[in-house]
Amino acid sequence: MAYRDDDLVCAWPVPSDLDIAQSIAPIPMQELSAKMGLAQEEIHYYGRYKAKVDLCVLDRLKDAPNGKYVVVTGVTPTPLGEGKTTTTVGLSQAFGKHLGCPVFTCVRQPSMGPTFGMKGGAAGGGYSQIIPMEEFNLHLTGDLHAVAIANNLLAAAIDTRMFHESTQKDEALFDRLVPRDSAGGKRRFAPVMKKRLAKLGIDPEIDGDSLTAEQKGAFARLDIDPDTIITRRVVDVNDRALRGITIGKGENEKAPRETGFDIAVASEAMAILALAQDLPDLRDRLGRAVVASSKNGDAITADDLGVGGAMTVLMKDALMPTLLQTLEGTPVFVHAGPFANIAHGNSSIVADKVALKMVGPEGFVITEAGFGADVGFEKFCDIKCRSSGLHPDCAVIVATVRALKLHGGGPPVIAGKPKAPCYTSEEVDLVEKGCCNLQVHVRNCRKYGLPVVVCVNRHPTDTAREIDIVCQKAVEAGANKAVCGEHWSSGGKGAVALAEAVKEACSLPEKAFSFLYPLDISIKEKISAICVNIYGAKDVEYSDVANAKVERFEKQGFSGMPICMAKTQYSLSHDADLKGAPTGFTVLVKDVGAGFIYPLLGPIMTMPGLPTRPAFYDVDIDFSTGKITGLF
Amino acid sequence: MAYRDDDLVCAWPVPSDLDIAQSIAPIPMQELSAKMGLAQEEIHYYGRYKAKVDLCVLDRLKDAPNGKYVVVTGVTPTPLGEGKTTTTVGLSQAFGKHLGCPVFTCVRQPSMGPTFGMKGGAAGGGYSQIIPMEEFNLHLTGDLHAVAIANNLLAAAIDTRMFHESTQKDEALFDRLVPRDSAGGKRRFAPVMKKRLAKLGIDPEIDGDSLTAEQKGAFARLDIDPDTIITRRVVDVNDRALRGITIGKGENEKAPRETGFDIAVASEAMAILALAQDLPDLRDRLGRAVVASSKNGDAITADDLGVGGAMTVLMKDALMPTLLQTLEGTPVFVHAGPFANIAHGNSSIVADKVALKMVGPEGFVITEAGFGADVGFEKFCDIKCRSSGLHPDCAVIVATVRALKLHGGGPPVIAGKPKAPCYTSEEVDLVEKGCCNLQVHVRNCRKYGLPVVVCVNRHPTDTAREIDIVCQKAVEAGANKAVCGEHWSSGGKGAVALAEAVKEACSLPEKAFSFLYPLDISIKEKISAICVNIYGAKDVEYSDVANAKVERFEKQGFSGMPICMAKTQYSLSHDADLKGAPTGFTVLVKDVGAGFIYPLLGPIMTMPGLPTRPAFYDVDIDFSTGKITGLF
């Protein structure tokens, strides 16, 4: 099945991403969805070229066998990125358009903030892009907005509740929370309140007037310890002035406190969206999200605040994956965009599930994991797959000659600054030396029992000798195959060798996929498993703050959760300056967040800033054509 | 033309708004848009029951004559609202379904914040509602999110620029703002920068290296006076903790400052969306938006910050009105939702323009203005119509017996508290006394040269004698007709008399519509015209702060703008406690904002709070039906 009748005509030198993207008329969504066999009630159009796929499609396909599940990850990246999305898209185009296999691409939705700062787009690049790329990089179908407002409603609920508790006695609080119905009759508990009653050991069906004074107090006074509040507000703008703020300074407020905003994709609501299996599971996870501890040390959840249902309502459409397409007309799900350092950095489980059913047993789902394999891929396996029950059939590790030169000892690569000469001239020794980084990632992926294909994402100045040495070193480390990809300059045609290698790897006999650690060991044992076996650390130490929090989480009953490490993406270690394949280091866990349990191994930036000349200076509309200008 | 084949079956007692709304299956948007004669390229679907209408429809219809233009306003309201939207919808249903006239309803998009606080929905009520009401009250097609993020990008641009200016000398700033292109060649000014060059009297086509050091400094250093910053950040959540905040407290920040968040609909970006004529006009207005003054007293705009184009890109889809429908299948535009006290409180000009063309000369466009006629209607005429060039054919003033009882001296009406007995028993004298308020509004509307129809929006406990006295007093004050409306309990059928009265008023000979004040008088003369002629004030006084700002705005060249009064909606005066028709009072202008020039006549709440038991406790999803529960 060819997804698009016309062939991609690739110019040289490769034009700008926006020029390429705008030069291709997307297939209208009605046509694309019909081609994919989606029924009318299974699709919700959002304009001409975007749609959401209703999860009811899973009911129709519940007995259909899954396709092959391929996860794309990468070496430890430079700040410029090594083209994981470009490779994910190029590989899909190769499968769909050139090998005639059913294929689906699953990627994260990017944050809008960096779009107007300095980063390039996140829709791939060159002739391997997701279109319409303006939609992809801007509002898309509004999921990010929905997540942000659900998170911010939760945050408002926390501070508002503390305010009201500070101005009212138990009886008055209870009276307002559980008022008599309009006829002046019975006190009615909202359904969500019954969860809190049950948690307190009170019969959820009790009459409101039958509670003792003590029970009323326990029910109505959450007694949140402000120092333990985890939930921060979010906004999808790079706004450094909001990193640290004091709130509650209006003239009628009682207790100002220090907090800050994160970028919207760093919210726990986003991480939850990506892990939810269906709407009831989303409701359940949002309600259980821990926002703080009470002064007694009890975990306080969104449902204790009564807001889990409203958050679900705000996010219910966001749970449907958004359908776009590649330049060569293969389908793409863009769904959920959790931050890859503080959260798990993987697109949604529901998108992967729907895609696997839709491509069928002869098809391939190419899903991308954020950052290097030590970060996004580890979380893909140990968090996302553990949650979904799905196991990948193959991992693709994307490497670039540039990144490996950096790991071999090349000078720093800085976004917006000219590159040192070694990055554009042939330096085989430097590349060879840097392959130590690639080799660790290959060995790590093999630890999960997966076949591994390495793809060198070729840049125009890379030489054949440089690429050959990378492929050789990859196979030495245990990769099933290593190939060069030219999908950036040639589209799917440039990734046919990669697709064939992936297809071959997926058809290898039965893989024994295994997690890195079981859930039933202690929090510290799990952290150690990751630090030692994936990062190459010798040892792990904990700050006093981190020790206290680990103890609290174990006491609150969260020791059975998977671990979501918050670590720099720029090194296999916790120190961004340690390139290559560092060993023998000791990791210091400075702090530990909850939601997932995420140990912070260093300063993690959750609110990017804008440079002196933000990218927004160039962004405008050409009114004669109606097209956006200057976006990337 | 009947918009819906089936007739509304009205139950008694009237069920909840959500129950009624969910009991009617909306006409699929593809069917509705076809019925309306919209071509495929003129409509963008957003799910099954929402769509955006492309402004290209105005090109096709540019020579078509307009329909009649009816504005719905009201008496000074109680905190419960008097049913303006319900009447706007009921009147439309009467025209479309029962009189067979082409009709279009134009209303504002409500803020989501109050949805989870304590207010009822804003989609009308009873059997006169806009559906799907959940969509209407929640994300709709994302316009509010787009406006909020455009505003917040502007706010981030302000603080980021101040940060960078505080850490860099002129030369370095210039160098970063106008870098050499990658080949190390010419310094390239972004198109938006040419506006600033022109403003500074520098040839916009100048070579970047030819500027003098002084010119480079003037170009690159905006030198914003932090005390003059107008732009606040916004969020669409009732979050009282954000009313007053200190930002810039992160460890690398230089200068913390006091600011706060407003609710998203209070943003200037929203006011601009409602007034824009087309995309180039939106671009122009956003770029010209004044955000602060420099330390020299010059106005600093969004385009000085380079962000006007990016804001336009973020808001370009938001400029297309969103199409929904009433319970009886007549079309509705929901578009823009500027706050009615600090901003102008009217839906968009583009929606009204498209609607007027689409209904044609035999049709009616029913548009709603926020709050009482002293607020939303005055701004409708003097700001919105002045901008659009459209003139209304008739004003409908909505009154309730309840509000008039309050104005006659009844006890306070408080949301969420039981009503005093006088509001549910016959009290003809109280009503009659309160009609003084209605009469002022009737006379005020007549001052613009418009026919006036008064509609008493009947509540179940209102008696015939109470309604009769209201109608009689309305006609005494100059209303062309006064009728009782039963559209809440009966849908369009209950508003047929109202529709006939409006039709008759619209067919009266040529109206001489006139503005209340010309633009070419001083700011203070304009403020005085509104306070004396509309509010009934004797005099206007100014605080020192207000005086200084008026002076600054005149110096900056903004004296020719219309005035957007920021006043309580709960009294004709500046004091919410003065009910009825107060006279002889002196208005104190406490402060003056810019954007529009908005004199603040008292404390205006721009960030609502949440009560102890927010409405979100009841909001959830019934997974067996997929329906939202507990929303209103």
Side-chain angles (χ1 to χ4, degrees):
Chain A
M1 148 163 80
Y3 283 94
R4 219 185 142 105
D5 300 327
D6 53 343
D7 291 328
L8 207 51
V9 178
C10 301
W12 185 266
V14 176
S16 79
D17 289 354
L18 187 60
D19 283 345
I20 294 174
Q22 289 186 342
S23 73
I24 308 269
I27 303 170
M29 215 21 97
Q30 295 199 320
E31 197 183 313
L32 187 75
S33 61
K35 220 173 211 174
M36 294 164 58
L38 284 165
Q40 217 34 45
E41 66 274 14
E42 290 168 349
I43 189 136
H44 305 267
Y45 300 106
Y46 279 67
R48 218 91 67 220
Y49 305 115
K50 296 179 289 184
K52 275 182 170 288
V53 173
D54 201 290
L55 298 188
C56 70
V57 72
L58 285 174
D59 297 331
R60 174 168 62 87
L61 297 174
K62 64 178 183 299
D63 299 322
N66 281 344
K68 301 294 183 188
Y69 193 29
V70 179
V71 56
V72 177
T73 179
V75 297
T76 302
T78 72
L80 305 179
E82 308 319 308
K84 274 202 316 293
T85 308
T86 305
T87 303
T88 304
V89 173
L91 174 57
S92 303
Q93 293 179 171
F95 268 125
K97 169 78 182 173
H98 302 275
L99 298 188
C101 299
V103 71
F104 226 118
T105 313
C106 293
V107 297
R108 283 179 294 161
Q109 182 184 358
S111 166
M112 257 193 290
T115 299
F116 298 108
M118 49 193 303
K119 222 191 84 180
Y127 287 100
S128 293
Q129 287 191 67
I130 297 165
I131 53 173
M133 74 93 99
E134 304 96 312
E135 305 280 357
F136 179 90
N137 283 297
L138 296 174
H139 305 291
L140 202 60
T141 51
D143 294 353
L144 250 166
H145 296 309
V147 167
I149 205 154
N151 175 87
N152 289 345
L153 180 62
L154 175 61
I158 297 167
D159 284 295
T160 302
R161 183 61 169 259
M162 290 199 295
F163 172 87
H164 289 304
E165 289 190 19
S166 76
T167 58
Q168 295 173 56
K169 295 218 161 69
D170 288 2
E171 189 75 26
L173 272 177
F174 184 82
D175 198 51
R176 286 200 171 82
L177 285 166
V178 196
R180 295 184 191 286
D181 61 27
S182 56
K186 283 186 64 165
R187 291 193 184 275
R188 193 181 65 83
F189 287 104
V192 67
M193 292 175 173
K194 297 183 181 178
K195 300 190 190 187
R196 182 159 174 81
L197 289 172
K199 179 173 166 179
L200 295 171
I202 304 169
D203 174 9
E205 299 309 323
I206 195 170
D207 181 85
D209 285 310
S210 307
L211 272 71
T212 65
E214 196 187 343
Q215 284 176 322
K216 285 182 180 175
F219 174 84
R221 188 168 299 280
L222 302 181
D223 207 24
I224 290 169
D225 175 354
D227 294 336
T228 65
I229 296 173
I230 296 161
T231 307
R232 286 158 57 95
R233 288 164 179 81
V234 298
V235 65
D236 198 13
V237 173
N238 284 17
D239 193 348
R240 60 179 302 148
L242 296 181
R243 286 176 188 160
I245 67 173
T246 311
I247 61 169
K249 299 193 71 176
E251 61 177 324
N252 298 316
E253 305 310 301
K254 301 297 173 195
R257 71 177 182 91
E258 303 301 307
T259 181
F261 276 69
D262 294 329
I263 191 95
V265 291
S267 63
E268 192 183 350
M270 180 55 93
I272 287 175
L273 176 66
L275 292 183
Q277 309 278 336
D278 52 29
L279 199 56
D281 186 46
L282 177 69
R283 170 68 188 85
D284 187 50
R285 285 174 183 267
L286 289 171
R288 282 191 288 116
V290 174
V291 301
S293 294
S294 73
K295 287 175 187 152
N296 276 339
D298 299 327
I300 302 295
T301 65
D303 273 345
D304 284 324
L305 289 157
V307 74
M311 292 175 74
T312 310
V313 165
L314 286 168
M315 287 171 60
K316 77 177 172 53
D317 291 345
L319 189 62
M320 297 187 283
T322 295
L323 184 61
L324 291 181
Q325 61 190 286
T326 65
L327 286 173
E328 299 190 63
T330 64
V332 178
F333 273 147
V334 184
H335 199 214
F339 225 41
N341 32 29
I342 191 159
H344 59 83
N346 280 275
S347 60
S348 83
I349 286 177
V350 291
D352 288 1
K353 282 198 162 173
V354 172
L356 284 165
K357 291 294 181 199
M358 288 187 66
V359 297
E362 302 304 316
F364 293 82
V365 171
I366 320 294
T367 195
E368 184 190 345
F371 292 157
D374 53 326
V375 184
F377 173 80
E378 184 271 313
K379 296 174 184 178
F380 171 82
C381 295
D382 291 315
I383 299 178
K384 185 177 173 182
C385 287
R386 201 184 310 251
S387 229
S388 69
L390 298 170
H391 295 169
D393 294 287
C394 170
V396 173
I397 301 179
V398 179
T400 59
V401 167
R402 178 179 65 204
L404 297 178
K405 284 177 176 172
L406 176 67
H407 291 297
V413 174
I414 299 166
K417 291 274 165 69
K419 283 190 282 282
C422 72
Y423 292 108
T424 47
S425 59
E426 186 176 88
E427 302 276 353
V428 178
D429 291 350
L430 203 57
V431 177
E432 182 170 1
K433 216 167 139 220
C435 282
C436 60
N437 182 274
L438 170 62
Q439 292 188 314
V440 172
H441 291 297
V442 171
R443 286 188 211 107
N444 281 347
C445 290
R446 298 287 291 163
K447 286 178 187 159
Y448 291 83
L450 288 180
V452 170
V453 175
V454 168
C455 173
V456 187
N457 177 24
R458 184 173 198 161
H459 286 223
T461 56
D462 298 345
T463 69
R465 296 205 309 153
E466 288 175 327
I467 288 165
D468 286 347
I469 192 72
V470 180
C471 292
Q472 184 192 321
K473 289 286 172 184
V475 173
E476 269 176 27
N480 297 58
K481 193 126 189 186
V483 298
C484 175
E486 309 215 348
H487 38 277
W488 177 76
S489 56
S490 309
K493 203 172 52 184
V496 167
L498 173 61
E500 281 168 344
V502 168
K503 197 171 178 180
E504 192 185 315
C506 286
S507 64
L508 290 174
E510 189 71 29
K511 279 76 64 177
F513 179 80
S514 62
F515 301 117
L516 186 73
Y517 55 85
L519 288 183
D520 60 1
I521 57 177
S522 74
I523 291 176
K524 287 193 177 179
E525 285 169 323
K526 286 182 254 194
I527 293 173
S528 182
I530 299 169
C531 292
V532 173
N533 297 321
I534 300 293
Y535 306 162
K538 180 174 62 75
D539 212 355
V540 186
E541 291 178 355
Y542 293 80
S543 71
D544 291 348
V545 171
N547 265 323
K549 289 203 183 165
V550 167
E551 201 178 315
R552 189 169 83 211
F553 295 142
E554 302 229 321
K555 207 177 286 172
Q556 289 177 340
F558 299 122
S559 60
M561 293 175 72
I563 302 291
C564 187
M565 303 297 281
K567 182 182 86 68
T568 177
Q569 67 269 41
Y570 294 126
S571 169
L572 272 160
S573 77
H574 59 287
D575 177 353
D577 293 334
L578 295 181
K579 300 300 179 191
T583 53
F585 55 91
T586 297
V587 169
L588 173 65
V589 178
K590 296 189 177 160
D591 199 351
V592 185
F596 308 94
I597 290 169
Y598 54 95
L600 291 141
L601 308 190
I604 301 292
M605 177 52 67
T606 51
M607 173 53 90
L610 292 170
T612 303
R613 185 191 190 286
F616 61 59
Y617 267 96
D618 297 312
V619 180
D620 216 318
I621 294 176
D622 177 343
F623 299 117
S624 63
T625 61
K627 287 187 173 176
I628 293 173
T629 56
L631 202 61
F632 317 120
Chain B
M1 146 163 83
Y3 282 95
R4 218 185 143 105
D5 300 328
D6 52 341
D7 291 329
L8 208 53
V9 178
C10 301
W12 185 265
V14 176
S16 80
D17 289 352
L18 187 60
D19 283 345
I20 293 175
Q22 290 185 341
S23 72
I24 307 268
I27 303 171
M29 215 19 95
Q30 295 199 320
E31 195 182 316
L32 188 75
S33 61
K35 220 174 209 174
M36 293 165 59
L38 284 165
Q40 215 37 43
E41 67 274 14
E42 291 168 349
I43 190 136
H44 305 265
Y45 300 106
Y46 280 67
R48 220 87 73 218
Y49 304 115
K50 298 179 288 185
K52 276 183 170 287
V53 173
D54 201 289
L55 298 187
C56 71
V57 71
L58 285 174
D59 297 331
R60 174 169 62 86
L61 297 174
K62 65 177 183 299
D63 299 323
N66 283 343
K68 300 293 185 188
Y69 194 28
V70 178
V71 56
V72 176
T73 179
V75 298
T76 301
T78 72
L80 305 180
E82 309 318 309
K84 275 202 315 294
T85 307
T86 305
T87 303
T88 303
V89 173
L91 174 57
S92 302
Q93 292 179 172
F95 268 125
K97 169 80 182 174
H98 302 275
L99 298 188
C101 298
V103 71
F104 227 118
T105 313
C106 293
V107 297
R108 284 181 292 162
Q109 183 185 357
S111 169
M112 257 193 289
T115 299
F116 298 107
M118 51 193 303
K119 224 192 82 179
Y127 287 100
S128 293
Q129 287 191 66
I130 296 165
I131 53 172
M133 74 93 97
E134 304 96 312
E135 304 279 357
F136 179 90
N137 283 298
L138 296 174
H139 305 290
L140 202 59
T141 51
D143 294 353
L144 250 166
H145 296 308
V147 167
I149 205 155
N151 176 88
N152 290 346
L153 180 62
L154 175 61
I158 297 168
D159 283 295
T160 302
R161 183 61 168 257
M162 290 198 297
F163 172 85
H164 289 304
E165 289 190 19
S166 76
T167 59
Q168 295 173 56
K169 296 220 162 68
D170 288 3
E171 190 73 26
L173 273 177
F174 184 82
D175 198 51
R176 286 200 171 83
L177 284 167
V178 196
R180 294 185 191 285
D181 60 27
S182 55
K186 282 186 65 165
R187 291 192 184 276
R188 194 181 64 83
F189 285 105
V192 67
M193 292 176 173
K194 298 185 179 177
K195 298 189 190 187
R196 180 155 175 85
L197 289 172
K199 180 172 165 180
L200 295 170
I202 303 170
D203 174 10
E205 299 310 323
I206 196 169
D207 180 86
D209 284 309
S210 306
L211 270 72
T212 64
E214 196 187 344
Q215 284 175 323
K216 286 181 180 174
F219 174 83
R221 189 168 297 280
L222 302 181
D223 208 24
I224 289 168
D225 177 354
D227 294 335
T228 64
I229 296 173
I230 297 160
T231 308
R232 285 158 58 96
R233 288 164 179 81
V234 300
V235 65
D236 198 14
V237 174
N238 286 16
D239 192 349
R240 59 179 302 149
L242 296 182
R243 285 174 188 160
I245 68 173
T246 310
I247 62 169
K249 298 192 74 178
E251 60 177 325
N252 298 315
E253 305 309 302
K254 302 297 173 192
R257 70 178 182 90
E258 303 301 306
T259 179
F261 276 69
D262 294 328
I263 190 98
V265 291
S267 63
E268 192 185 349
M270 180 55 96
I272 287 175
L273 176 66
L275 292 182
Q277 309 278 336
D278 52 30
L279 199 56
D281 186 46
L282 177 68
R283 170 68 187 88
D284 187 51
R285 284 173 183 267
L286 289 171
R288 281 191 288 116
V290 174
V291 300
S293 295
S294 72
K295 288 177 186 149
N296 276 340
D298 299 327
I300 302 296
T301 65
D303 273 344
D304 284 324
L305 289 157
V307 74
M311 293 174 73
T312 310
V313 165
L314 286 167
M315 289 172 61
K316 77 178 174 52
D317 291 345
L319 188 63
M320 297 187 284
T322 295
L323 184 61
L324 291 181
Q325 61 191 287
T326 65
L327 287 173
E328 298 190 63
T330 65
V332 178
F333 273 148
V334 184
H335 200 214
F339 225 41
N341 31 30
I342 190 161
H344 58 83
N346 281 274
S347 60
S348 83
I349 285 176
V350 292
D352 288 3
K353 282 197 161 173
V354 171
L356 283 165
K357 292 294 180 196
M358 287 188 64
V359 298
E362 302 304 316
F364 293 82
V365 171
I366 320 294
T367 195
E368 183 190 346
F371 291 156
D374 52 327
V375 183
F377 174 79
E378 185 272 313
K379 296 173 184 179
F380 171 82
C381 295
D382 290 315
I383 299 178
K384 184 177 173 182
C385 287
R386 202 184 308 250
S387 231
S388 69
L390 298 169
H391 294 169
D393 294 286
C394 171
V396 173
I397 301 179
V398 178
T400 59
V401 166
R402 178 180 66 204
L404 298 177
K405 283 176 176 172
L406 176 67
H407 290 297
V413 174
I414 299 167
K417 291 275 164 71
K419 282 190 284 281
C422 71
Y423 292 108
T424 46
S425 60
E426 186 175 90
E427 301 277 354
V428 179
D429 290 351
L430 203 56
V431 177
E432 181 170 4
K433 218 168 137 220
C435 283
C436 59
N437 182 274
L438 170 61
Q439 292 189 314
V440 172
H441 291 297
V442 171
R443 287 188 209 107
N444 281 346
C445 291
R446 298 287 290 161
K447 284 177 187 161
Y448 291 83
L450 289 181
V452 169
V453 174
V454 167
C455 173
V456 187
N457 177 24
R458 185 172 196 161
H459 286 222
T461 55
D462 298 344
T463 69
R465 296 206 310 152
E466 289 176 327
I467 287 164
D468 287 347
I469 192 72
V470 180
C471 292
Q472 182 191 320
K473 289 287 173 184
V475 172
E476 269 177 25
N480 296 59
K481 194 125 188 186
V483 299
C484 175
E486 310 215 348
H487 37 277
W488 177 75
S489 55
S490 309
K493 204 172 52 185
V496 166
L498 173 61
E500 282 168 342
V502 168
K503 196 172 178 180
E504 192 183 317
C506 286
S507 63
L508 289 175
E510 188 70 30
K511 279 76 65 178
F513 178 79
S514 62
F515 299 118
L516 186 73
Y517 56 84
L519 288 183
D520 60 0
I521 58 177
S522 72
I523 292 175
K524 288 194 175 177
E525 284 169 322
K526 285 182 255 195
I527 293 173
S528 182
I530 298 168
C531 292
V532 173
N533 296 320
I534 299 293
Y535 305 162
K538 182 172 62 71
D539 213 354
V540 186
E541 289 177 358
Y542 293 80
S543 72
D544 290 346
V545 171
N547 265 322
K549 289 205 183 164
V550 167
E551 202 178 312
R552 189 170 80 211
F553 295 142
E554 302 229 321
K555 207 178 286 172
Q556 289 177 340
F558 299 121
S559 60
M561 293 175 74
I563 303 291
C564 187
M565 302 298 280
K567 183 182 85 71
T568 177
Q569 68 268 40
Y570 295 125
S571 169
L572 272 160
S573 77
H574 58 288
D575 176 354
D577 293 334
L578 294 181
K579 301 299 180 192
T583 52
F585 55 91
T586 296
V587 169
L588 173 64
V589 179
K590 295 189 179 162
D591 198 350
V592 184
F596 310 93
I597 291 169
Y598 56 94
L600 291 141
L601 308 190
I604 301 294
M605 177 52 68
T606 51
M607 174 53 89
L610 292 169
T612 303
R613 185 190 191 287
F616 61 60
Y617 267 95
D618 297 313
V619 179
D620 216 318
I621 294 177
D622 178 343
F623 299 118
S624 63
T625 62
K627 286 186 175 178
I628 294 173
T629 56
L631 200 62
F632 318 121

